[in-house]
């Protein structure tokens, strides 16, 4: 015997993988199920109803406790629904090559959505699948270049410039510290900065880090342009799985500028002061400027991090004292002259 209620309960009902919802009212579980199957032209046998939110299946007894205007999903035999995650999986399945129909479906869902969490999920998914990631030139994706100088003709070129600008700023900081070194050591300090500058020019300021077209060992992104946060300086990875593709659209390009190349051993607190002291206290030893170069300008000591993973507190790390100076070569002992026989 089915439980029947005097006052009809109202619901929003949709079938699996269909975006359109319709209102339905019924005094029992079976009445709502029957109306749903009739509307969507689905067989009643094997069909069932579940809550959209978490996938809980309805029964005749549970039907009475479900609030009015709840959203339901109609499933046929063999179909499953796990709640919000099922919608996410459906979108991710078509993620790499989203079709116009998928984008339109997401927009329709978003336009009628009121729950803040679902609005956020849909907006983020729509933002991602609408990206024009494959486009590279200004002609292929004009909106991406809005606000940029006309000299930038392709996305990779601009992002190389963006990376180079960051590295150049580090070099300026190192150069500015020449005044902090005593007069006797300034000449050597300036010489070392000059060597670093020449190496940076030869390496094109490591601008390939942001270039998706660069060799795999020279870039920090995938061939499609996806960057993953490497996590704070004191952990191996990002617990939040932050990622971004600045090649996708203008908004992502702008947001990427808030990501940081964070020095694991800190540049201002540690590396530059150690370099200053090494030059001033060298006492005939030769400073290993290549070691400091690696700490200041390369991925050996740089982590790409989302702004939320950028810890600005003291890292408490020090330069390796064994690598500050070049190893001193011991002079060879002269062999005693052999007497002629």
């Amino acid at each position: 015997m089915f439980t029947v209620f005097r006052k009809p309960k109202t619901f929003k009902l949709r079938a699996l993988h269909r975006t359109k919802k319709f209102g339905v009212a019924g005094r029992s579980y079976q009445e709502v199920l029957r109306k749903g199957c009739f509307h969507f032209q689905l067989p009643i046998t094997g069909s069932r109803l579940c809550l959209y939110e978490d996938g809980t299946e309805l029964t005749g007894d549970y039907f009475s406790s479900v609030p009015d205007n709840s959203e339901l999903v109609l499933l046929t035999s063999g179909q499953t629904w796990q709640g919000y995650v099922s919608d996410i999986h459906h979108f991710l399945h078509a993620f790499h090559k989203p079709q116009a129909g998928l984008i339109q479906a997401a927009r329709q869902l978003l336009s009628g959505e009121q729950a803040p969490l679902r609005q956020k999920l849909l907006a983020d998914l729509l933002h991602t699948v609408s990206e024009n990631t494959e486009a590279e030139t200004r002609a292929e994706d004009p909106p991406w270049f809005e606000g940029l100088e006309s000299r930038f003709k392709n996305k990779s070129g601009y992002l190389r410039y963006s990376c180079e600008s960051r590295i150049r700023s580090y070099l300026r900081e190192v150069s500015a510290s020449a005044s902090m070194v005593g007069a006797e050591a300034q000449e050597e300090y300036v010489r070392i900065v000059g060597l670093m500058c020449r190496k940076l020019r030869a390496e094109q300021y490591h601008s390939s880090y942001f270039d998706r077209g660069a060799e795999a060992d020279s870039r920090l992104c995938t061939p499609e342009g996806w960057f993953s946060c490497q996590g704070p300086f004191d952990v191996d990875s990002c617990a939040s799985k932050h990622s971004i593709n600045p090649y996708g659209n203008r908004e992502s390009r702008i947001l990427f500028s808030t990501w940081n190349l964070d020095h694991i051993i800190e540049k201002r607190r540690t590396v530059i002061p150690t370099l200053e002291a090494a030059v001033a206290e060298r006492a005939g030893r030769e400073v290993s400027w290549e070691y400091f170069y690696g700490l200041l300008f390369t991925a050996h000591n740089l982590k790409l991090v989302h702004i939320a993973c950028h810890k600005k507190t003291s890292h408490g790390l020090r330069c390796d004292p064994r690598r500050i100076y070049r190893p001193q070569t011991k002079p060879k002992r002269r062999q005693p002259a052999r007497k002629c026989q």
Side-chain angles (χ1 to χ4, degrees):
M1 180 180 293
F2 301 116
T3 305
V4 179
F5 300 92
R6 294 181 180 179
K7 182 182 178 182
K9 296 177 71 67
T10 58
F11 302 97
K12 295 176 182 178
L13 182 63
R14 66 174 173 133
L16 188 66
H17 301 325
R18 300 193 190 183
T19 59
K20 290 186 178 180
K21 297 174 281 189
F22 85 103
V24 60
R27 291 182 171 84
S28 70
Y29 170 84
Q30 286 295 326
E31 182 180 356
V32 173
L33 178 64
R34 186 173 61 253
K35 289 181 177 179
C37 290
F38 176 79
H39 179 86
F40 291 113
Q41 296 296 295
L42 297 173
I44 295 180
T45 304
S47 294
R48 60 203 189 281
L49 300 172
C50 68
L51 292 177
Y52 171 84
E53 183 175 359
D54 59 10
T56 301
E57 290 197 17
L58 271 63
T59 62
D61 294 334
Y62 182 49
F63 182 82
S64 61
S65 61
V66 179
D68 277 350
N69 297 315
S70 293
E71 186 171 341
L72 306 179
V73 179
L74 175 58
L75 302 174
T76 58
S77 180
Q79 293 182 332
T80 60
W81 180 258
Q82 299 176 351
Y84 296 142
V85 68
S86 296
D87 258 350
I88 297 173
H89 175 77
H90 179 59
F91 280 109
L92 291 179
H93 184 68
F95 175 76
H96 290 291
K97 292 185 178 179
Q99 303 297 318
L102 173 65
I103 296 173
Q104 182 61 29
R107 286 174 177 161
Q108 288 179 356
L109 282 172
L110 183 59
S111 65
E113 189 53 67
Q114 299 299 321
L117 173 59
R118 285 154 62 178
Q119 282 182 336
K120 179 68 167 59
L121 291 173
L122 285 168
D124 287 349
L125 284 168
L126 185 58
H127 173 81
T128 300
V129 300
S130 299
E131 291 182 339
N132 194 4
T133 303
E134 294 182 0
E136 174 65 22
T137 66
R138 184 182 286 267
E140 292 171 332
D141 192 1
W144 193 92
F145 292 85
E146 288 181 9
L148 298 182
E149 297 176 27
S150 59
R151 63 190 175 100
F152 297 112
K153 305 300 182 184
N154 57 67
K155 296 178 180 180
S156 295
Y158 173 76
L159 285 163
R160 288 184 72 96
Y161 165 79
S162 174
C163 184
E164 179 179 331
S165 296
R166 299 187 190 210
I167 300 298
R168 282 181 179 272
S169 71
Y170 305 157
L171 179 61
R172 286 194 295 271
E173 287 187 62
V174 180
S175 299
S177 293
S179 60
M180 305 298 292
V181 181
E184 294 181 357
Q186 276 195 14
E187 183 178 347
E188 177 62 11
Y189 187 92
V190 171
R191 187 187 73 85
I192 288 175
V193 172
L195 292 171
M196 290 181 175
C197 185
R198 284 195 288 277
K199 185 170 176 61
L200 281 172
R201 285 199 294 265
E203 298 288 347
Q204 297 182 326
Y205 293 88
H206 300 285
S207 57
S208 62
Y209 287 161
F210 291 179
D211 182 0
R212 63 180 176 181
E215 296 294 328
D217 59 352
S218 300
R219 53 179 160 81
L220 300 177
C221 62
T222 68
E224 297 77 27
W226 283 97
F227 292 83
S228 296
C229 175
Q230 297 174 322
F233 74 93
D234 53 353
V235 298
D236 293 330
S237 61
C238 173
S240 300
K241 305 299 181 185
H242 295 122
S243 64
I244 191 171
N245 191 335
Y247 288 85
N249 55 41
R250 179 175 177 269
E251 181 179 344
S252 294
R253 168 175 65 78
I254 294 172
L255 287 174
F256 186 61
S257 66
T258 67
W259 284 49
N260 293 276
L261 282 173
D262 187 26
H263 288 82
I264 301 171
I265 302 176
E266 294 168 282
K267 172 178 82 292
R268 173 54 59 185
R269 286 192 177 108
T270 306
V271 180
I272 295 178
T274 303
L275 175 60
E276 294 169 359
V279 174
E281 301 167 7
R282 64 191 188 283
R285 295 171 292 180
E286 186 177 358
V287 175
S288 179
W289 65 268
E290 295 93 341
Y291 170 62
F292 288 98
Y293 177 95
L295 295 179
L296 290 164
F297 307 117
T298 76
H300 295 297
N301 190 48
L302 292 171
K303 295 185 78 173
L304 182 67
V305 295
H306 183 278
I307 189 171
C309 289
H310 186 205
K311 295 183 178 179
K312 296 185 178 181
T313 56
S314 175
H315 293 187
L317 300 174
R318 296 290 178 263
C319 298
D320 185 348
R322 298 167 299 178
R323 303 184 63 188
I324 292 175
Y325 298 103
R326 293 187 189 280
Q328 291 182 311
T329 57
K330 295 181 179 180
K332 293 182 179 180
R333 292 182 179 180
R334 291 185 178 183
Q335 294 294 328
R338 292 183 179 179
K339 293 182 179 180
C340 295
Q341 298 293 330

